[in-house]
Amino acid sequence: CLVGSGIAKSPSPVMHQAAMQASGVEGTYVIRDLAPSEIDAFVAELREGRYTGCNVTTPYKAVMAARCDYLESDAESLGVVNTISVRGGRLLGVTTDADGFELALSEESMWPRQGATALVLGAGGAAAAVALALTRVPLLRLRIAARRDAAAADLVDRLRGSGDIATVPWDRGAIAATSRHSAIVVNASPVGLESLPCDPRSVPAACSVVDLRYRPRPIDVVAAAIETGHRASDGLEMLLQQGLLSFEIWTGKVAPAAAVRSALTRAVEA
């Protein structure tokens, strides 16, 4: 199942049902759209074995991480989970977002080269996973800007020791100065082109642009970047890749990506 808030229109059920069908796995993937007051009861259901596991999305990635009995390394480093598996009543928390991001950009031949500079806009759970993935390049510099300065500073602190990582103020001047030297700019915030303090049309010609939002397509930031000749991608492939990794954790099976991608794309564009 998928647990979160305001997630009634999530395409995750379509994705995972397609993965099950293509892999010969029997089961049902459902949405659990919960209020904060319902989380403890849901955790009890997990421990009782009602579900094999769950995906976790906004705003409960940190909340559910705190309720896990064990966190794998990335989840422990970031303090968030997007995947939980249940084993003997114990909850094992994982984040597949970082690996999903790397796989998505590699699939689209957009993964930055060693020594590149990256700018990440946002400091939530998805932004944290993106930043963690980018520290593995390794990068010459990683800069993080968020609407809340404290959130950006906290993320930098969690990644301390992973390279040259620092915050950038959430304003057009500072971000423009940083983006001029960036090989990749990632919008991991929920805001679009009008509110974003970074114009993808003005970044260097060789700079790739990624926006983790995936609907409605085309994503405005991605469309603007493509119009000016930049390589750009939305978050659909990352959604697919992190979902396939979650599916493998629960079932031990590798779902055929092409079939699942096709079903997911149809659901998002419907």
Side-chain angles (χ1 to χ4, degrees), residues 185-200:
V185 174
V186 183
N187 180 27
S189 78
V191 303
L193 189 60
E194 289 188 4
S195 301
L196 204 64
C198 178
D199 188 340

Side-chain angles (χ1 to χ4, degrees), residues 1 24 27 54 82 117 130 181 186 241 250:
C1 67
C54 70
N82 80 328
T117 300
V130 165
H181 306 286
V186 183
Q241 295 295 342
W250 297 323

Side-chain angles (χ1 to χ4, degrees), residues 200-226:
R201 294 163 293 200
S202 63
V203 300
C207 180
S208 297
V209 176
V210 181
D211 192 313
L212 298 191
R213 298 174 300 152
Y214 53 83
R215 64 166 37 145
R217 302 182 96 186
I219 299 299
D220 54 2
V221 171
V222 174
I226 291 174

Side-chain angles (χ1 to χ4, degrees), residues 223-235:
I226 291 174
E227 285 176 4
T228 47
H230 295 88
R231 301 192 67 186
S233 175
D234 63 24

